[in-house]
Amino acid sequence: MSVNAVTHLNFHGEAREALTFYHAVFGGDLAIATYADFGAPREMPGAGNVVWGQVAAASGFRIMAYDVPAAAPTAPAAPTTRREHGMTLTQDRFFISLRGENADEIAALWAGLAEGATIIEPIAPAQWARLFGILTDRFGVTWILDVAVAQTN
């Protein structure tokens, strides 16, 4: 049996814009279906919103997203940050972690995601990684990017 965990993001009318942005950053295939595509009357409010969307890149990167129906509760607020002991701490329910082996590839992904983002920790060498950085993109999603270091036992 094989299992893959794929991040699924929930938006309130921004899923198409977010998926298009992630497609520009990661490449691959972009698939979007609207509520109208799945049979909702086209004149219904929200019929053009995304009921299912995905970016799937050859690198193995996958992300899914949709627009939560208007009657559903709103998504949690963007993360909060604070400085403590010289470190920036971010509080959120989850981060998306992108770990790669090639510093140039990770730096390029950082540059794409950083467009309109709030930088929490600038990407730079760290004690535990050749590159490490944290940002919250313009859609409120927090990303950790780093370059994997070979583990020794």
Side-chain angles (χ1 to χ4, degrees):
M1 179 166 118
S2 177
V3 175
N4 294 309
V6 177
T7 302
H8 189 285
L9 302 173
N10 303 326
F11 293 98
H12 291 272
E14 304 89 19
R16 180 182 302 277
E17 183 182 357
L19 287 163
T20 301
F21 175 71
Y22 298 140
H23 179 248
V25 172
F26 296 100
D29 296 319
L30 170 64
I32 294 177
T34 66
Y35 285 91
D37 294 335
F38 278 36
R42 295 200 183 276
E43 65 278 356
M44 181 182 94
N49 285 352
V50 175
V51 69
W52 181 87
Q54 173 177 271
V55 172
S59 65
F61 175 83
R62 302 277 185 278
I63 198 159
M64 296 173 68
Y66 93 123
D67 288 311
V68 176
T74 58
T80 59
T81 61
R82 70 179 193 283
R83 296 286 294 174
E84 188 175 296
H85 305 292
M87 294 178 56
T88 301
L89 304 175
T90 302
Q91 299 172 329
D92 197 356
R93 290 189 156 213
F94 69 92
F95 298 150
I96 299 176
S97 177
L98 295 178
R99 174 169 283 166
E101 296 175 0
N102 182 298
D104 291 337
E105 289 176 357
I106 292 298
L109 293 173
W110 175 273
L113 289 169
E115 182 184 323
T118 300
I119 306 302
I120 298 168
E121 289 290 334
I123 195 157
Q127 291 176 323
W128 59 90
R130 290 185 18 228
L131 282 179
F132 172 84
I134 305 173
L135 61 78
T136 300
D137 73 20
R138 66 186 192 209
F139 300 101
V141 177
T142 300
W143 299 79
I144 296 175
L145 285 80
D146 70 345
V147 176
V149 175
Q151 300 294 319
T152 58
N153 293 0

